[in-house]
Amino acid sequence: MPQPHTVTLTVSTELVEAFEAHAHLLAPATITGKAPGTDPYWCTYYLHHPSAPPGAARVCPIWQSTWQGSGESTVSLLYLEWYDQAGRPLPAPPAAPAPAAAHAPAH
Protein backbone atom coordinates (compact mmCIF):
# COMPACT_ATOMS: atom_id res chain seq x y z
CA MET A 1 0.00 0.00 0.00
CA PRO A 2 1.43 3.45 -0.93
CA GLN A 3 2.34 5.85 1.87
CA PRO A 4 0.10 8.90 2.41
CA HIS A 5 0.94 11.65 -0.06
CA THR A 6 2.59 9.16 -2.43
CA VAL A 7 1.16 9.30 -5.94
CA THR A 8 2.13 7.87 -9.31
CA LEU A 9 2.99 9.79 -12.44
CA THR A 10 3.24 8.05 -15.81
CA VAL A 11 5.46 9.42 -18.57
CA SER A 12 5.87 8.33 -22.18
CA THR A 13 9.24 6.59 -22.56
CA GLU A 14 10.00 9.09 -25.35
CA LEU A 15 9.79 11.93 -22.81
CA VAL A 16 11.61 10.40 -19.81
CA GLU A 17 14.78 12.47 -20.27
CA ALA A 18 12.82 15.72 -20.60
CA PHE A 19 10.68 14.84 -17.58
CA GLU A 20 13.68 14.03 -15.41
CA ALA A 21 15.41 17.26 -16.49
CA HIS A 22 12.38 19.30 -15.37
CA ALA A 23 11.14 17.21 -12.43
CA HIS A 24 12.48 19.84 -10.01
CA LEU A 25 9.59 22.06 -11.16
CA LEU A 26 7.24 19.70 -9.30
CA ALA A 27 8.62 20.94 -5.93
CA PRO A 28 7.66 20.39 -3.18
CA ALA A 29 7.17 16.92 -4.68
CA THR A 30 10.11 14.55 -4.72
CA ILE A 31 10.61 11.44 -6.83
CA THR A 32 10.82 8.49 -4.45
CA GLY A 33 11.09 5.70 -6.99
CA LYS A 34 10.63 4.45 -10.51
CA ALA A 35 8.69 1.31 -11.42
CA PRO A 36 10.62 -1.45 -13.18
CA GLY A 37 10.35 -0.94 -16.95
CA THR A 38 8.02 -3.63 -18.23
CA ASP A 39 6.03 -1.45 -20.64
CA PRO A 40 8.02 -0.27 -23.68
CA TYR A 41 5.83 2.85 -24.05
CA TRP A 42 5.31 4.14 -20.48
CA CYS A 43 7.43 4.75 -17.39
CA THR A 44 5.84 5.14 -13.94
CA TYR A 45 7.37 7.28 -11.20
CA TYR A 46 6.43 7.40 -7.53
CA LEU A 47 6.24 10.89 -6.05
CA HIS A 48 5.91 12.10 -2.51
CA HIS A 49 3.81 15.26 -2.61
CA PRO A 50 3.06 16.82 0.80
CA SER A 51 0.06 18.78 -0.50
CA ALA A 52 -1.60 15.94 -2.44
CA PRO A 53 -5.37 16.05 -1.88
CA PRO A 54 -6.94 13.27 0.21
CA GLY A 55 -7.53 10.13 -1.86
CA ALA A 56 -5.04 11.10 -4.58
CA ALA A 57 -3.43 8.14 -6.33
CA ARG A 58 -2.16 9.73 -9.56
CA VAL A 59 -1.05 13.15 -10.67
CA CYS A 60 -0.70 14.60 -14.16
CA PRO A 61 1.47 17.71 -14.53
CA ILE A 62 0.35 20.16 -17.20
CA TRP A 63 3.43 21.75 -18.79
CA GLN A 64 3.92 24.67 -21.14
CA SER A 65 6.96 25.09 -23.35
CA THR A 66 7.76 28.37 -25.06
CA TRP A 67 10.45 28.45 -27.73
CA GLN A 68 12.74 31.47 -27.90
CA GLY A 69 14.37 32.79 -31.06
CA SER A 70 17.77 32.02 -29.55
CA GLY A 71 17.11 28.28 -29.67
CA GLU A 72 16.25 28.00 -25.98
CA SER A 73 12.94 27.05 -24.48
CA THR A 74 11.21 28.01 -21.28
CA VAL A 75 9.37 25.15 -19.61
CA SER A 76 6.75 26.01 -17.01
CA LEU A 77 4.58 23.86 -14.80
CA LEU A 78 1.09 25.31 -15.25
CA TYR A 79 -0.78 23.14 -12.75
CA LEU A 80 -1.31 19.59 -11.52
CA GLU A 81 -4.35 17.43 -12.24
CA TRP A 82 -5.11 14.96 -9.44
CA TYR A 83 -6.94 11.61 -9.79
CA ASP A 84 -8.11 8.94 -7.38
CA GLN A 85 -7.42 5.21 -7.76
CA ALA A 86 -10.45 4.80 -10.08
CA GLY A 87 -9.25 7.63 -12.35
CA ARG A 88 -11.81 10.20 -11.18
CA PRO A 89 -10.54 13.80 -11.07
CA LEU A 90 -10.01 15.38 -7.65
CA PRO A 91 -10.00 19.07 -6.77
CA ALA A 92 -6.60 20.69 -6.47
CA PRO A 93 -5.38 21.26 -2.92
CA PRO A 94 -6.08 24.80 -1.69
CA ALA A 95 -2.40 25.65 -1.18
CA ALA A 96 -1.09 24.50 -4.57
CA PRO A 97 2.51 25.63 -5.18
CA ALA A 98 3.17 28.53 -7.51
CA PRO A 99 4.24 27.57 -11.04
CA ALA A 100 7.96 27.41 -11.68
CA ALA A 101 9.96 27.81 -14.88
CA ALA A 102 13.28 26.60 -16.24
CA HIS A 103 15.33 27.44 -19.29
CA ALA A 104 16.82 24.70 -21.42
CA PRO A 105 18.53 24.58 -24.81
CA ALA A 106 16.32 23.35 -27.63
CA HIS A 107 16.89 19.80 -28.86
Side-chain angles (χ1 to χ4, degrees):
M1 163 122 353
Q3 298 297 316
H5 305 296
T6 297
V7 294
T8 60
L9 184 147
T10 303
V11 177
S12 165
T13 53
E14 294 177 356
L15 300 174
V16 164
E17 285 184 29
F19 168 72
E20 290 181 358
H22 295 97
H24 64 279
L25 297 176
L26 295 170
T30 54
I31 295 174
T32 59
K34 189 174 176 181
T38 57
D39 187 324
Y41 302 107
W42 299 102
C43 181
T44 299
Y45 292 87
Y46 301 101
L47 300 174
H48 173 76
H49 201 298
S51 61
R58 293 185 305 126
V59 65
C60 178
I62 305 302
W63 306 95
Q64 175 179 331
S65 181
T66 306
W67 296 96
Q68 312 295 321
S70 63
E72 290 193 0
S73 66
T74 301
V75 176
S76 302
L77 175 63
L78 296 179
Y79 57 92
L80 299 172
E81 290 181 347
W82 300 94
Y83 298 91
D84 66 12
Q85 191 65 36
R88 293 180 297 252
L90 297 172
H103 297 279
H107 295 276

